[in-house]
Amino acid sequence: MAVTSYLLAALPALLLSGVVAAAVLPDNRIDLMHHSYQGGGVSIDGPALMLRSKIGQQLSVSGFYYVDTVSGASIDVIATASAYSETRRESRLGVDYLSGNSIISLNYAQSDEDDYNAKSVSFGIAHDTFGGMTTLSLNTAFGNDQIGRNGDASFSEQLRRYSYSLGITQVLTTRWISALNAEVDMEQGFLNNPYRSVRYRDPLAPLGYGYQFEVYPNTRNSLALGLVNKFYLPYRAALTASLRHYQDSWDIRAFDAELEYVHPIAERWLLDGHVRWYQQGQASFYADLFEFANQQNFMARDKELSDFTNLSLGIGASYRFANWSWWPTATPELNLEWDHIRFNYNNFRNVTIADTAAGAEPLYRLTANVYRLFFSVYF
């Protein structure tokens, strides 16, 4: 399965989100993007294309196509298998309908790779009230995933995903907008990676430990609460402060905070910088090294279920070109963004370090860089 969560989280919101501002249809636009992720022995890169267009005064349609090619070997792969390469393709179709002070959205998404196929449908409604000062939004999504395992034709599992979110956005002053969002996710089915293994102490093994496949619960429920505040500064700049709390039925508790600053230069340049801090506790059935085989009913060694912290720093720049003479209604724009990400794992150890006693290996650290270059045309 492709390791793409970091890239997806980093993509421009207008490329990915089916949720739009209430009572105003989104702008007509074309986006062409190239993305690249380098970190932890893994490379991910590929193009993305989005088209959004209004049809009349009440209807807007959008299409999105995304490709990523994954190659290399993460620390999980190095420990138990060889390097690999795979390609994932994702496509999305969306429709937004404007009715009075409300926008109704319907979206379909499909993702395909060698061993994982995912389909999802989402529905949302956003409604302006109190003279446009308050926006209420409600969204729901259903997904159905088919999971395989390369080299094992008999392996076939299913995962069903349900998501519900509720949000309120309030204009507090002429320069301050605040939003509160709540999201509930429920998953049922095969929730672990079919390739990943846990390790357990084995004094007869050459390394002092052996491996067995992970075993996860077949359900996972989570709740996330987020608060976003946007402040518009007198010199056309903007500051955004975001807080988010997450918890789930696997006893994971997480908190992240993000600060973003956007600053215009003259009429055509826009610079932005952001910093994000993320902290997470481990799942109840996670361990870097179990004491013996089949120690528990559920056993995991996925580093993303461990106790870790994450710091992300990013900068970006966009340049708006002069209108084209041959297409005077179009506004072209070029954007370049770079993020540097650091992960510090507090109870996941680097087993690739030789001549180290089992359980005494150094803690794993990961750094990654994400680049995104995209060209947009508003029309």
Side-chain angles (χ1 to χ4, degrees):
M1 292 179 284
V3 184
T4 58
S5 58
Y6 305 134
L7 280 172
L8 292 175
L11 288 176
L14 284 174
L15 283 178
L16 291 174
S17 175
V19 181
V20 296
V24 178
L25 287 173
D27 293 333
N28 293 342
R29 66 183 291 177
I30 300 172
D31 285 277
L32 178 62
M33 187 189 72
H34 181 81
H35 63 270
S36 174
Y37 170 98
Q38 305 289 330
V42 175
S43 298
I44 307 173
D45 60 77
L49 174 66
M50 188 202 73
L51 171 63
R52 189 189 295 275
S53 179
K54 298 176 186 177
I55 301 177
Q57 299 299 313
Q58 294 181 285
L59 191 66
S60 174
V61 296
S62 62
F64 172 75
Y65 185 71
Y66 174 94
V67 178
D68 60 31
T69 300
V70 184
S71 60
S74 67
I75 189 171
D76 306 275
V77 173
I78 292 174
T80 58
S82 57
Y84 67 98
S85 178
E86 63 180 357
T87 299
R88 188 181 72 90
R89 295 175 174 83
E90 179 178 346
S91 55
R92 301 189 184 196
L93 295 174
V95 177
D96 299 307
Y97 178 72
L98 175 63
S99 177
N101 292 330
S102 301
I103 282 189
I104 300 171
S105 302
L106 181 64
N107 295 273
Y108 172 80
Q110 180 170 330
S111 173
D112 297 293
E113 52 193 297
D114 291 342
D115 54 359
Y116 203 105
N117 302 101
K119 297 180 176 65
S120 65
V121 178
S122 63
F123 172 82
I125 182 168
H127 177 72
D128 270 356
T129 186
F130 298 117
M133 302 293 286
T134 304
T135 301
L136 301 173
S137 61
L138 176 66
N139 298 277
T140 183
F142 168 73
N144 186 23
D145 301 354
Q146 300 293 327
I147 305 160
R149 183 160 60 200
N150 290 329
D152 184 358
S154 64
F155 184 92
S156 179
E157 296 288 349
Q158 188 177 51
L159 171 63
R160 294 184 181 273
R161 298 174 282 109
Y162 307 86
S163 179
Y164 308 93
S165 62
L166 178 66
I168 179 170
T169 302
Q170 180 67 46
V171 178
L172 297 173
T173 71
T174 57
R175 297 186 179 277
W176 180 14
I177 298 176
S178 185
L180 179 64
N181 303 289
E183 182 174 353
V184 174
D185 293 317
M186 295 180 289
E187 299 174 299
Q188 183 175 21
F190 189 81
L191 290 166
N192 53 297
N193 187 315
Y195 304 104
R196 186 177 290 113
S197 300
V198 300
R199 63 174 187 154
Y200 58 89
R201 293 187 185 276
D202 183 358
L204 300 180
L207 296 175
Y209 56 85
Y211 283 100
Q212 67 176 89
F213 280 124
E214 291 184 322
V215 183
Y216 282 25
N218 61 6
T219 60
R220 185 180 189 181
N221 304 318
S222 65
L223 169 66
L225 296 174
L227 176 65
V228 180
N229 286 283
K230 290 182 175 289
F231 305 94
Y232 297 91
L233 306 178
Y235 46 95
R236 297 188 299 129
L239 181 68
T240 303
S242 305
L243 300 173
R244 184 174 181 268
H245 172 76
Y246 169 92
Q247 64 182 59
D248 66 21
S249 56
W250 292 358
D251 288 338
I252 291 178
R253 300 289 185 272
F255 174 80
D256 65 82
E258 183 171 6
L259 194 65
E260 180 181 19
Y261 177 74
V262 178
H263 188 90
I265 297 179
E267 295 297 323
R268 300 192 183 277
W269 284 97
L270 196 66
L271 304 180
D272 71 88
H274 61 268
V275 57
R276 177 178 179 263
W277 169 261
Y278 177 85
Q279 184 176 21
Q280 173 183 299
Q282 72 174 51
S284 59
F285 52 92
Y286 169 87
D288 176 71
L289 178 62
F290 289 91
E291 293 303 316
F292 50 87
N294 302 311
Q295 179 180 335
Q296 303 173 178
N297 291 332
F298 304 119
M299 302 169 66
R301 193 180 174 264
D302 181 357
K303 63 182 182 298
E304 305 310 317
L305 299 184
S306 69
D307 183 308
F308 71 91
T309 59
N310 162 225
L311 176 65
S312 302
L313 301 172
I315 57 175
S318 65
Y319 179 78
R320 180 158 291 189
F321 296 92
N323 289 15
W324 293 321
S325 59
W326 53 274
W327 190 2
T329 59
T331 303
E333 185 177 285
L334 183 66
N335 298 267
L336 176 63
E337 298 182 4
W338 168 72
D339 285 283
H340 180 71
I341 310 170
R342 289 180 175 270
F343 291 89
N344 292 318
Y345 295 93
N346 300 320
N347 58 352
F348 180 87
R349 298 188 175 274
N350 189 347
V351 298
T352 64
I353 304 299
D355 301 323
T356 307
E361 302 91 349
L363 294 172
Y364 185 61
R365 302 287 184 263
L366 167 64
T367 60
N369 290 285
V370 180
Y371 304 91
R372 297 175 304 283
L373 174 67
F374 59 101
F375 181 72
S376 305
V377 179
Y378 300 84
F379 61 95

